[in-house]
Amino acid sequence: MKQVSDTHLFYAFSPDMQPVLTVSQGEEFILETRDCFANQLKTNDDTLDDLDWTQINPATGPVFVEGVKPGDLLRIDIKHIELIGTSVMTTIPGSGAISGVTEASTLVLENTGGVLALPTALGDLKLELKPMIGVIGLAPESESVPNGTPGVHGGNMDCNLIGEGASLYLRAAHEGGLFGCGDIHALMGDGEVVVCGAETPARSTFEISVVDYKALPVPFLETDDRYISIASAATSDEAYKQAIDQMFDFLTDIVGLPANDAGRLMSLIGDLRFCQVVDPLITIRFEFPKAQLLELGFAGL
Ligand code: CA
Ligand code: ZN
C-alpha cells in the first residue's frame, strides 16, 4: 500500500501545497503522522519551554487524488487508525477553557491493550481508547489556513466522531483535492477543554472518492448510525447556528423533507454538540440519526 512517512509535513492548508503522493480514487493509502507537538514531548520532564513552537500542529501530506476537479465533493473514508507509541497530554496555563488549571505539566501515557492508562492523585484509571483525527482536510480555495484552525476545508475540527469507520465529506477547491491529516488523539471528550486530547503519533489508512450530492453542506460526516454537520466560527453562537442550518439544508435539499418536518425531527431526535472550544474558531456539530431517514425511504449518501 502507498504511504507517506511523517517526514513529509506541512503546517498550513494552502492553495499552493505541493503533493507528495498521488493515488487513484478508491485506492487505500496510509499517512504516518506525528502528534500535535511533533513528537517533541517524550517524558514528563520535557516542558513546553523546551518546545520548538514552529513545529506545532504538523500534518502529513498532501496527497493528490487522480481525477478530482475543483468543486467535486469527496468522500474520505477512514479505514483504520493505528496508534504508534505512547500518548501525551499537557496543561498550559492561559490556554484551554478551564480557568482553574494554572500549572504547566506534561504527562506521557500508555495506550496499550485498548485502554489509556491515566494516573491521578486519587488512583489510576483505565479509559477505553477512542482514536480520532483532530486535523484533517483539503487545500482551501484561496487563503492559507494554519493547521491549528478549522474551517470549511476541514482542518483542526477536533471532532471525536472522526474515527475508524467514519466518512468525512469535503469539497475540493483544487485539482487532486490535496488531502492531509495530523493530530490524532487516542481519546478526547467533546470540547477538548484542557486544550489537548491524548496526543498520539499514528498511521491512518484512507480511501478517497468523488461522490454525487454536490449540494451537501460541508464539512459533513457519516458514521455507522448518524449524519453529522460540522461548523466552525469565531463564536459558539455563530457555529451552532451554522451547524443547525447545514443539517436543515441536508434534510430538506438532499433527503427531501419539507421545512416543518425537518424542523420537528431535528428538535425531537437531533443532537447539537460541541466538538472543541479551544482552537482559534469554535467547532460545533449537529448529529441526526440515520435510522429514521432510512425508514422514510432515503437511500443514503
Ligand atoms: Ca487539535
Ligand atoms: Zn491534538
Side-chain angles (χ1 to χ4, degrees), residues 36 72 80 91 128 136 141 146 170 213 225 231 240 243 247-248:
C36 71
D72 281 347
H80 186 53
T91 55
E128 190 182 341
I136 180 168
E141 189 166 359
L170 294 172
Y213 298 108
D225 63 348
Y240 82 67
M247 180 55 71
F248 179 82

Side-chain angles (χ1 to χ4, degrees), residues 37-277:
F37 305 108
N39 303 355
Q40 295 179 88
L41 301 174
K42 303 210 177 295
T43 75
N44 294 354
D45 297 324
D46 294 338
T47 70
L48 297 167
D49 297 333
D50 305 325
L51 280 183
D52 174 359
W53 286 89
T54 64
Q55 293 188 48
I56 295 299
N57 276 323
T60 299
V63 175
F64 184 102
V65 184
E66 284 176 336
V68 169
K69 299 275 177 285
D72 281 347
L73 181 67
L74 302 191
R75 190 185 72 224
I76 300 155
D77 295 327
I78 299 147
K79 312 291 279 191
H80 186 53
I81 300 173
E82 177 197 349
L83 304 176
I84 303 173
T86 51
S87 303
V88 67
M89 292 190 77
T90 57
T91 55
I92 308 175
S95 293
I98 309 175
S99 51
V101 169
T102 55
E103 194 182 328
S105 69
T106 302
L107 187 62
V108 173
L109 302 164
E110 297 291 334
N111 57 31
T112 53
V115 295
L116 187 73
L118 184 77
T120 82
L122 300 182
D124 297 346
L125 291 172
K126 290 194 186 313
L127 307 175
E128 190 182 341
L129 299 181
K130 193 182 168 195
M132 54 153 284
I133 302 175
V135 172
I136 180 168
L138 304 173
E141 189 166 359
S142 52
E143 278 176 79
S144 179
V145 183
N147 288 351
T149 303
V152 175
H153 70 293
N156 195 13
M157 297 179 286
D158 282 319
C159 171
N160 60 22
L161 298 180
I162 302 180
E164 236 171 61
S167 298
L168 176 66
Y169 296 85
L170 294 172
R171 189 160 293 109
H174 300 276
E175 287 207 7
L178 304 176
F179 169 79
C181 84
D183 188 32
I184 278 74
H185 302 152
L187 182 63
M188 189 201 93
D190 285 348
E192 201 183 21
V193 293
V194 90
V195 85
C196 62
E199 308 292 333
T200 315
R203 285 161 53 87
S204 305
T205 309
F206 301 95
E207 183 182 316
I208 300 179
S209 298
V210 175
V211 291
D212 285 338
Y213 298 108
K214 281 233 172 68
L216 191 70
V218 292
F220 199 82
L221 187 69
E222 177 176 4
T223 63
D224 58 343
D225 63 348
R226 306 214 131 199
Y227 292 119
I228 300 125
S229 58
I230 300 174
S232 299
T235 67
S236 49
D237 281 10
E238 292 168 88
Y240 82 67
K241 282 177 184 143
Q242 283 178 30
I244 290 170
D245 284 348
Q246 288 168 210
M247 180 55 71
F248 179 82
D249 289 348
F250 166 70
L251 292 173
T252 55
D253 297 349
I254 292 180
V255 176
L257 284 166
N260 285 348
D261 284 335
R264 279 187 283 266
L265 276 168
M266 286 174 69
S267 205
L268 289 170
I269 54 175
D271 291 311
L272 184 64
R273 294 200 162 126
F274 280 97
C275 293
Q276 58 75 27
V277 295

